[in-house]
Amino acid sequence: MPSSQRQKDVCDLLDADHKAVKKMFSDFESLSKSKARNAAQLRMDLARKICTELTVHAQVEEEIFYPALREAIKETDLIAEAEVEHQTAKDLIAQIESADTADESFDAKVTVLGEYIDHHVKEERNEMFPKARAVKKLDLVAMRAEVEARKQELLDELLAAA
């Protein structure tokens, strides 16, 4: 069934996150070339927004999507690899979030994070999502609602802590 005729599932939701963050990385790259006086502050603000989005996205994948998929498929090496990629991304995110200034090193970390996320997204989009959709016992439409609700909880918690 073409994607326009099937219900949106958790893979669609996660991929929408991927696209939104890719746009933010593109905006960051444009800002890094900007000569505006406030460009450094704008880059820091955008980088922190990217980090928040990626942190929430990774957490819902780790709490909901990956465990369900791990139970449903035989080849779990792809999930293990994704979890290691998440940990490496979290390390970079921590470095970005603790930065005081948007200097050359800061920009490099955000750029590398973007490249890293691109690689991770390609694997999810091309390998993990098709495997998830092939498993009939996974209710990916219901999982979408669960992931959406959890994402909102996490974003609310982060906003309350800020």
Side-chain angles (χ1 to χ4, degrees), residues 36-52:
R37 270 187 295 159
N38 65 342
Q41 186 59 52
L42 291 173
R43 286 196 323 274
M44 288 197 74
D45 293 345
L46 183 54
R48 289 202 165 95
K49 183 173 183 193
I50 290 168
C51 290
T52 298

Side-chain angles (χ1 to χ4, degrees), residues 25 50 54 89 92-93 96 109-117:
F25 278 115
I50 290 168
L54 289 175
L92 264 176
I93 287 168
I96 292 165
K109 288 173 185 172
V110 175
T111 298
V112 169
L113 180 62
E115 292 166 354
Y116 203 75
I117 296 301

Side-chain angles (χ1 to χ4, degrees), residues 5 56 60 62 83 101 112 124 128 131 136 149 160:
Q5 293 177 339
V56 168
V60 296
E62 291 167 9
E83 290 169 336
T101 57
V112 169
E124 283 191 345
M128 193 178 290
K131 284 183 182 188
K136 298 302 174 209

Side-chain angles (χ1 to χ4, degrees), residues 8 28 37 47-48 81 97 127 129 143 146 153:
K8 297 270 188 201
F28 183 90
R37 270 187 295 159
R48 289 202 165 95
E81 187 179 322
E97 288 180 329
E127 298 175 51
F129 293 169
M143 195 183 301
E146 183 182 357
E153 276 177 29

Side-chain angles (χ1 to χ4, degrees), residues 24-32 43 46-47 106-107 110:
M24 285 187 247
F25 278 115
S26 175
D27 292 346
F28 183 90
E29 188 178 332
S30 296
L31 275 174
S32 67
R43 286 196 323 274
L46 183 54
F106 178 85
D107 288 356
V110 175

Side-chain angles (χ1 to χ4, degrees), residues 8-76:
K8 297 270 188 201
D9 64 20
V10 70
C11 299
D12 294 314
L13 175 67
L14 296 172
D15 206 38
D17 287 353
H18 295 156
K19 289 173 184 163
V21 169
K22 185 165 182 65
K23 166 113 177 53
M24 285 187 247
F25 278 115
S26 175
D27 292 346
F28 183 90
E29 188 178 332
S30 296
L31 275 174
S32 67
K33 295 176 179 116
S34 172
K35 302 290 184 220
R37 270 187 295 159
N38 65 342
Q41 186 59 52
L42 291 173
R43 286 196 323 274
M44 288 197 74
D45 293 345
L46 183 54
R48 289 202 165 95
K49 183 173 183 193
I50 290 168
C51 290
T52 298
E53 292 296 321
L54 289 175
T55 298
V56 168
H57 178 88
Q59 190 166 339
V60 296
E61 283 185 335
E62 291 167 9
E63 287 180 3
I64 301 167
F65 183 62
Y66 292 170
L69 191 56
R70 184 179 302 265
E71 252 182 55
I73 65 173
K74 287 184 177 76
E75 310 153 35
T76 57

